[in-house]
Amino acid sequence: MTVLVIDTTGPWCAAGLVGPDAAWHEAGEPIGRGHAERLAPMVQALLKQAGIVPGALDRIGVATGPGSFAGTRVGVAFARGLALATGAKALGISSLQAWARRADPDRHWSVAAIHDARRGDLLWQVFTDGAPVSGVERGGVEDARAALSAYGDIHMTGSGAVLLGADPAHFTVEPPLKALSALTGEAPHDAPPPAPLYARRPDAKLPGGRDPEPVA
């Protein structure tokens, strides 16, 4: 299976590719902003490096957040557009699930993947042996601490884990591309198309009092 994965949910613009020969290729750089301008040339160069034409892609996995509002939208839109153009299957993988897989690649632990959504908010999800055992939950530090205490000995990872006492050195902001690739390859074929996972709605209102789309 030829799998392309994309992560633009944070300050990095990054992509990884594994072909039929199982060789791994990746590219990425911390750009902060400008994912829309950088992503397509990066993917094009990655495909060329691997000697793979776009039409040979079987699956395209994209990190769906939570994370940067603009960056997440760019990645999801690009994955869906490329899938439409090539006939590949586009799949969304939450950043929480990818962080958990990177922290526990052999799927032997209980892992809480925790996102720092700022403004005192955290989003978290618990995985045991690689499978989700909770939904995505949201709350403050004490809410998270109380919820996670029910799981006993649990490994914490993610951008918000340090707020619950995890060693800051454990977590890297570099995208978990190999975890994304593994999860994309394992996903069922009838999985729905990718959609962003946002942490909150913005405070501003549209004319008429309508809510805009949520932001990460």
Side-chain angles (χ1 to χ4, degrees):
M1 185 183 293
T2 301
V3 175
L4 171 72
V5 291
I6 296 160
D7 192 336
T8 55
T9 59
W12 281 70
C13 182
L17 178 68
V18 60
D21 60 354
W24 174 254
H25 306 267
E26 68 176 72
E29 55 184 315
I31 62 172
R33 298 182 180 181
H35 297 86
E37 294 77 21
R38 188 69 191 96
L39 181 57
M42 179 177 289
V43 169
Q44 184 179 34
L46 195 62
L47 289 166
K48 183 177 180 181
Q49 174 189 329
I52 294 172
V53 298
L57 292 172
D58 295 304
R59 292 190 170 191
I60 302 167
V62 59
T64 57
S68 157
F69 173 67
T72 300
R73 285 174 62 93
V74 166
V76 169
F78 181 87
R80 294 182 68 144
L82 185 59
L84 185 64
T86 61
K89 172 73 175 176
L91 296 152
I93 307 295
S94 82
S95 299
L96 300 174
Q97 188 176 12
W99 290 343
R101 172 59 72 89
R102 179 170 65 183
D104 181 25
D106 296 324
R107 290 165 281 180
H108 292 328
W109 306 338
S110 287
V111 179
I114 307 160
H115 169 66
D116 181 3
R118 312 293 182 182
R119 306 184 198 175
D121 284 340
L122 299 175
L123 265 71
W124 65 89
Q125 188 171 18
V126 178
F127 301 82
T128 296
D129 300 332
V133 293
S134 79
V136 177
E137 301 182 56
R138 175 182 172 181
V141 169
E142 292 309 315
D143 299 315
R145 201 184 309 278
L148 298 180
S149 67
Y151 295 92
D153 185 18
I154 193 167
H155 182 85
M156 294 186 293
T157 190
S159 59
V162 64
L163 299 176
L164 296 175
D167 182 353
H170 93 282
F171 182 72
T172 173
V173 296
E174 293 184 22
L177 293 176
K178 289 188 176 180
L180 280 171
S181 181
L183 290 164
T184 299
E186 294 166 7
H189 188 72
D190 60 355
L197 170 61
Y198 295 126
R200 67 166 66 87
R201 291 187 176 274
D203 297 327
K205 295 284 187 179
L206 294 173
R210 291 179 296 118
D211 284 325
E213 294 183 56
V215 297

